[in-house]
Amino acid sequence: MIYWHIFLAFFIPGMLGYGGGPASIPLIENEVVGRYHWLTVNQFTEVLALGNALPGPIATKMSGYIGYTQGGALGSFVAVFATVAPSLVLMIVFLSVIYKFKDSPRVKKMTLYVKPTIAVLLGVMAYDFFAESVSSSGWIQTAAIATISFLLMQKFKVSPVIVIVAAIGYGAVFMA
């Protein structure tokens, strides 16, 4: 019965707070703290802080942790599945509809509009990251990290993963 409760505790917020982002956090809190009493408000706040500190979607990290504390590894799996199931189902339905009409001129036109939109959104995100870096680290360090990263990846063909880890290490040591 615990696995069914875990499933419901994360499936309902997943349905109502589509996307697993900040909109679903109060819904998860209502289920986990208010309905099932698995955590106190203070404990939930700590889990939220931990979820924010790690990369990736917050809701899936929180559901994995809370599911594990309540039902072990299977509870963690059930909780993460319940969190992503609504998005997964909607994505499959949407893709099947698009695939069915893939030769339609309207769908082709829509995909042509989506590509530049994504490019603009990525550009805005990159600008926001750059502006935040400049405001927190200053122009000199931001320019130095960007230049060194560019040279390492383009001239010396260093893997981007290594460059990112090195930049994080630099930030942890010199910016803390």
Side-chain angles (χ1 to χ4, degrees):
M1 194 67 167
I2 186 67
Y3 299 112
W4 177 247
H5 290 293
I6 291 171
F7 180 82
L8 288 177
F10 293 100
F11 185 76
I12 292 169
M15 286 297 291
L16 300 176
Y18 180 73
S24 64
I25 301 302
L27 301 170
I28 293 172
E29 180 184 16
N30 181 59
E31 295 294 318
V32 171
V33 176
R35 176 180 281 173
Y36 294 108
H37 307 290
W38 291 332
L39 300 175
T40 65
V41 174
N42 190 35
Q43 290 170 327
F44 184 82
T45 304
E46 290 174 0
V47 172
L48 179 60
L50 180 63
N52 276 322
L54 299 172
I58 298 168
T60 54
K61 293 177 284 190
M62 292 177 65
S63 64
Y65 175 79
I66 295 167
Y68 183 80
T69 60
Q70 296 306 308
L74 182 58
S76 180
F77 175 79
V78 168
V80 171
F81 177 75
T83 302
V84 300
S87 299
L88 182 65
V89 169
L90 288 174
M91 183 178 67
I92 290 170
V93 168
F94 181 68
L95 287 176
S96 66
V97 169
I98 285 184
Y99 186 73
K100 183 178 178 182
F101 297 105
K102 70 180 179 183
D103 296 325
S104 165
R106 288 183 178 177
V107 171
K108 287 182 179 181
K109 198 174 210 179
M110 182 184 72
T111 56
L112 286 174
Y113 290 138
V114 168
K115 289 177 184 178
T117 303
I118 291 172
V120 168
L121 290 173
L122 288 172
V124 168
M125 184 179 69
Y127 175 78
D128 289 343
F129 286 168
F130 180 76
E132 178 63 29
S133 177
V134 168
S135 69
S136 65
S137 303
W139 277 101
I140 295 172
Q141 288 194 30
T142 301
I145 290 172
T147 304
I148 292 169
S149 297
F150 178 79
L151 289 174
L152 286 173
M153 289 187 292
Q154 294 299 315
K155 186 172 182 177
F156 300 109
K157 305 298 181 201
V158 175
S159 169
V161 173
I162 295 172
V163 173
I164 290 170
V165 169
I168 290 171
Y170 173 82
V173 171
F174 296 106
M175 305 302 283

